[in-house]
Structure formats: C-alpha cells, structure tokens
Amino acid sequence: MSGLMMPKPNAATLDSRADIVADMRQIVPGEGVVETEREMRAFETDGLTAYKQLPLVVVLPETTAQVARILKYCDERSIRVVPRGSGTSLSGGALPLEDAVLLVMSRFNRILEIDYPNRVVVAQPGVTNLGITHAVQADGFYYAPDPSSQIACSIGGNVAENSGGVHCLKYGLTANNVLGIEMVLMNGEVIRLGGKHLDAEGYDLLGIMNGSEGLLGVVTEVTVRILQKPETARAMLVGFPSSEAAGQCVADIIGAGIIPGGMEMMDRPAIRAAEDFVHAGYPLDVEALLIVELDGPRAEVDWLIERVSEIAAKNGCTTSRISGSEEERAAFWAGRKAAFPAVGRISPDYYCMDGTIPRKQLPRVLAGMRDLSEKYGLRVANVFHAGDGNLHPLILYDANRPGELEKAEDFGSDILRLCVEVGGVLTGEHGVGVEKRDLMPEMFTEADLDQQMRVKCAFDPNHLLNPGKVFPQLRRCAELGRMHISRGQIPFPDIPRF
C-alpha cells in the first residue's frame, strides 16, 4: 500500500477551489467550513495513519438540508465528496482526496428520540456508539454492538462499516441492530429506509447501506434497537497452554449449542500488554486466554458456567476464574477493550488487521501466521472475536526503520490471503477502504465486482462519492451498460483508471 494509487485530481476542481470554498460558506455559514492548511491537518487521515492527504476543503454541516445542498452542488459540478464520521476507521475509508470536499458529520451529535415502548433510539449519525448506551442505561437498557473504539466512533460510521464488537456473537452486528436510516443521495435527494418497525417492504436497501463505506449516500439519521440489560451477566477468564487448545475450546462451546454474550481470545503478547496497561488480573503464565461472558436468568447463567468449565477442562485449560461482581466483570473486559492501545506500549508502531475465518480453521491460520511472522521477521500479537472467527492480528513494527512499514503491509496482505484461502473473508468489521481494496480480486471475480459496481452506479452514477475506495479500479458505469449517453458524449470522460 505504500505506493497506493488514488484517482487523479480533477484540475478544473482544483482551479475552482476559491469559488467552491466561498459557495460552501454560503451553504454552511459560521465556523462550518475549514480551509486553511493548518486547520485541515486534523482531518488528513483516519485510523489508518500510514496514509495522509489534505482535502480540498472541510465542511461540517449541521442539518440534513445543508447536507442535501452540498451534495447537490457537488453533483452538478462534478466535485468529489468524501464522507467522514469520527475518523476512527482502520481501513482508510475516510482518507481525503486532494480534489474532494471532506463532508464531516460530527456536528450531527444529538439523540432525537428515546422510545422505550418500541425499544428504539433515534440518533443523529455523529452520536458516539457509547453515547447511545449512556442515554438509556439509567432505565436498564443498552445498545448491543460495542466496538473497541465505542467511546469515540460514531453511529453513522458504524453503519458505514457495519461495525461489530465483543458482544456481536450473540446480539449481532450493526446491521442486526439498525432498523432505519435517513440518508441523502449524491443528487441531494433525501430518502428514508426502514423505521421503527421490524421489517420493511420491498428490497432490503437498508441492508445494502450497512457496510457501504460511504460509497452510496450520506446517513443523516439512524434508528437503532436497544435491549434490556440481562438479569445476570458473568465473565470467565480461561487460560490455555496453546492457542490451538483455546481455539478448539471455542469450537466446542459453540458446537455444544452455547452462544455466549461475548467470547474473546488473546495470545501471550496481547495478554501481557493488556495486563501491564490495565491490571485486569489476567494470568501471565498462559499462551492463550479466553474471555467468555454468559448472560440471562441467574439459574441459566450458573448452569452455562458449569458447562463451559467442563468443556474448557476437556481442552486442557490451566486456569479458570469467574467474575464475582459487576466491577470484576467490567475489569475483565477493560483489558480486552484496551488491548489495541496496550500493544502500543510494546512496539513503536503496529498494523491492525481484520479478517474473518471459519472457527474450525483457527489452528491452521494461527500456524500460518507464525510461519509468516518468521518469514517477515516481525512479531504479531493476536486479539480475536473468537466466537465468530473475526481476527485482529496486530503486526508489530518500527516505522523509523526503512522498509518495515512495507514489510508489515505485505505481512498483513498475506494474512488476509490466508483467511480467504481457508474459506474466510477479507474483513469482519473494519471495511475494505483503501487498505484491502487491491486484495478484492483475491476473493471476487471480475463478474462479482461488476455486479457490486452496478449497485454503486444505481446510487452514484458519476462516481463522486468516496472514489478510490473498495473497488480495485474505477469502472465507468458505461462499461456496465448503465450510463446515460447524451449527445454522443460519455459524462466525465476524464475519470482516471488505476
């Protein structure tokens, strides 16, 4: 990715920057337009910090009407737009373009409605993931998807990436917890998909929007499902002498028909880093650690703990500890939630990967990653959403050493190829963005990619929304038989191919 190719900037757009900035100020008055180089530096990258690019201009609208006017203005003038939430994306999904308006949704930060009878919250997209739980927890409710960045990531960004979290095994990803959205199309049209009802007529366009990575439209309102806090929730720390034994335990728990509220796995480097950082009480003499949370009625939880303990013992666990209080349960999870920043204490830099595999392939993939670690001469710390096979290997490197970033990227690409080889997929929750864009042909044929592009063409026929992301090369809609030809001319013939 070091030689990452992006769409060639549109010279006419760059030449018109002063006029565009002035027009944006008319649409979003006050402090809603950021144009100086120094101020725009705060927006030049997202969580994939290896790549930086200043945008044409940064615009922070506050209303749906402003978003609609901005998109309509840009559509009429062939100006590219990159939507951005909180900027926590780890795949470069919010990486700006030199000739694009960076549309930042952080001012959409209000909860609009809490509807307990229907068990939903209606929120603007800039509300943080954790902010929704905070708004309803006093009444015994919470929002289930809980990515590690939940204190900062926005609910609109969660929709864009179909984010998961440690409790998605039992309660689902964002797609399973979002009931409706309001969104603005590139032409400025405002539409609604879904609502407070549990199902909608017609095609599942809401499902298409979950995980669409800002390529199809801009979300301006989200209706999410909230759940009542379970009567009892207890977490177990179970240590194993090998990652393979822990992986087999995971498979056996699911095979026994037990679906924990959450089931996470960490290997020795991640365990040590998290314990040194948070002091959660993790055992340091194990090679792998499972955190298994069981929730529901007290009697059921007590029975499930016994069953899980039996399965763990059959797989050779060397230590087992059960939370005795809510504070201790929270401490167990605090270490896991802090695993990513904790690893930053043991390496100058790390590269966080995101792939998903069938659970039964975990031993094979772990062995393959060890071989790749030796091949590239780089260490790796592993953190898994073990229950659903979503892997987060953290490749440790030093960006100050020439060539190490490139090695880390190649290492990561080989991990993702291995995931696909064993029947998995390139991403579980971080998205494709620019990070995995050029690996898409490893998983999809040209026909597959063309079909996906046809969906893009239906929403954004001129390829102005977040171009250069997800698809390994720009395809014109005309090549798919979808673009309108006017007076013998293909619109935007200067769109670059890369």
Side-chain angles (χ1 to χ4, degrees):
M1 289 195 327
S2 300
L4 184 69
M5 295 180 66
M6 298 300 289
K8 183 180 177 181
N10 186 309
T13 300
L14 297 179
D15 291 342
S16 302
R17 181 177 186 271
D19 292 336
I20 294 169
V21 169
D23 291 338
M24 289 295 108
R25 291 195 184 280
Q26 291 295 316
I27 298 173
V28 185
E31 298 180 347
V33 176
V34 178
E35 63 163 315
T36 68
E37 178 179 339
R38 181 177 179 182
E39 291 175 322
M40 290 195 301
R41 287 291 175 195
F43 302 93
E44 68 181 354
T45 188
D46 59 12
L48 188 65
T49 55
Y51 300 95
K52 298 177 172 63
Q53 172 62 57
L54 285 176
L56 181 76
V57 61
V58 178
V59 184
L60 296 92
E62 295 184 79
T63 68
T64 299
Q66 288 177 347
V67 174
R69 288 181 63 192
I70 292 166
L71 292 183
K72 188 174 189 295
Y73 172 95
C74 292
D75 188 47
E76 291 172 347
R77 293 160 179 79
S78 306
I79 300 169
R80 293 163 174 154
V81 177
V82 175
R84 176 187 169 106
S86 296
T88 59
S89 167
L90 292 169
S91 63
L95 181 69
L97 296 175
E98 182 183 356
D99 63 342
V101 171
L102 188 67
L103 187 65
V104 180
M105 300 298 290
S106 56
R107 289 188 170 185
F108 281 72
N109 57 9
R110 293 186 298 120
I111 289 179
L112 303 175
E113 183 184 3
I114 298 175
D115 182 351
Y116 288 121
N118 284 309
R119 296 198 173 187
V120 300
V121 167
V122 181
Q124 292 184 317
V127 173
T128 64
N129 174 288
L130 193 57
I132 294 177
T133 291
H134 284 166
V136 298
Q137 64 184 2
D139 295 295
F141 287 82
Y142 72 106
Y143 178 61
D146 55 346
S148 294
S149 59
Q150 67 180 148
I151 192 173
C153 65
S154 66
I155 194 66
N158 288 177
V159 172
E161 303 295 348
N162 192 20
S163 302
V166 298
H167 288 94
C168 67
L169 173 62
K170 184 173 183 178
Y171 297 107
L173 301 162
T174 299
N176 306 111
N177 290 274
V178 170
L179 298 177
I181 61 172
E182 176 188 81
M183 63 179 286
V184 185
L185 302 178
M186 188 64 216
N187 64 5
E189 183 180 353
V190 180
I191 65 172
R192 284 186 174 271
L193 304 175
K196 293 182 180 180
H197 43 284
L198 293 180
D199 200 3
E201 70 286 348
Y203 293 116
D204 186 14
L205 297 179
L206 181 60
I208 290 176
M209 283 303 299
N210 280 289
S212 59
E213 302 197 36
L215 271 69
L216 306 182
V218 177
V219 174
T220 51
E221 182 183 294
V222 187
T223 301
V224 302
R225 183 200 321 268
I226 54 173
L227 302 178
Q228 196 160 22
K229 187 178 178 181
E231 175 189 326
T232 303
R234 300 177 72 187
M236 302 175 63
L237 290 182
V238 190
F240 293 87
S242 70
S243 294
E244 287 78 6
Q248 188 59 50
C249 183
V250 169
D252 290 349
I253 290 171
I254 301 296
I258 300 170
I259 307 297
M263 185 157 51
E264 299 289 297
M265 178 175 164
M266 294 188 286
D267 66 4
R268 179 184 283 269
I271 295 166
R272 288 185 171 275
E275 178 61 19
D276 288 345
F277 189 42
V278 176
H279 308 295
Y282 291 169
L284 299 179
D285 58 347
V286 298
E287 290 298 323
L289 181 68
L290 287 184
I291 308 175
V292 184
E293 180 165 291
L294 302 157
D295 60 16
R298 184 177 300 278
E300 179 185 358
V301 170
D302 290 343
W303 183 82
L304 288 173
I305 286 175
E306 290 183 9
R307 290 287 293 118
V308 170
S309 296
E310 292 170 2
I311 294 170
K314 289 180 181 178
N315 281 282
C317 76
T318 56
T319 180
S320 180
R321 179 178 163 195
I322 303 167
S323 64
S325 66
E326 179 61 20
E327 291 74 21
E328 190 172 26
R329 184 188 73 88
F332 289 177
W333 284 116
R336 165 59 186 89
K337 292 278 188 178
F340 288 4
V343 168
R345 294 161 60 94
I346 63 174
S347 176
D349 302 281
Y350 67 82
Y351 182 29
C352 177
M353 300 305 301
D354 164 54
T356 302
I357 61 171
R359 282 184 296 268
K360 68 178 183 179
Q361 296 290 352
L362 185 56
R364 176 180 170 184
V365 172
L366 287 170
M369 283 197 286
R370 278 195 293 270
D371 292 341
L372 290 171
S373 179
E374 293 181 9
K375 172 184 174 181
Y376 287 102
L378 296 174
R379 296 176 297 158
V380 61
N382 283 299
V383 181
F384 307 146
H385 297 314
D388 61 357
N390 187 194
L391 315 182
H392 292 308
L394 305 175
I395 300 170
L396 313 185
Y397 71 100
D398 185 348
N400 292 318
R401 293 181 179 176
E404 280 217 350
L405 170 59
E406 291 75 15
K407 282 204 299 183
E409 291 170 346
D410 291 342
F411 186 176
S413 294
D414 281 349
I415 290 175
L416 294 178
R417 290 187 181 97
L418 178 60
C419 289
V420 173
E421 180 183 323
V422 301
V425 296
L426 292 171
T427 181
E429 56 178 336
H430 293 176
V432 176
V434 295
E435 177 198 37
K436 307 180 185 79
R437 182 195 70 189
D438 296 331
L439 289 171
M440 289 285 275
E442 298 285 338
M443 183 172 176
F444 297 107
T445 66
E446 282 294 304
D448 294 332
L449 292 170
D450 284 347
Q451 285 296 90
Q452 294 177 42
M453 179 58 74
R454 286 185 172 94
V455 176
K456 165 73 168 170
C457 292
F459 283 83
D460 176 28
N462 298 325
H463 295 260
L464 297 176
L465 268 175
N466 218 10
K469 317 290 174 62
V470 179
F471 294 101
Q473 69 176 18
L474 269 181
R475 292 165 167 78
R476 292 185 178 93
C477 289
E479 296 168 348
L480 303 175
R482 294 293 306 231
M483 182 176 278
H484 175 67
I485 307 299
S486 176
R487 298 177 183 176
Q489 296 295 315
I490 296 176
F492 315 110
D494 60 334
I495 291 179
R497 301 178 63 84
F498 58 97

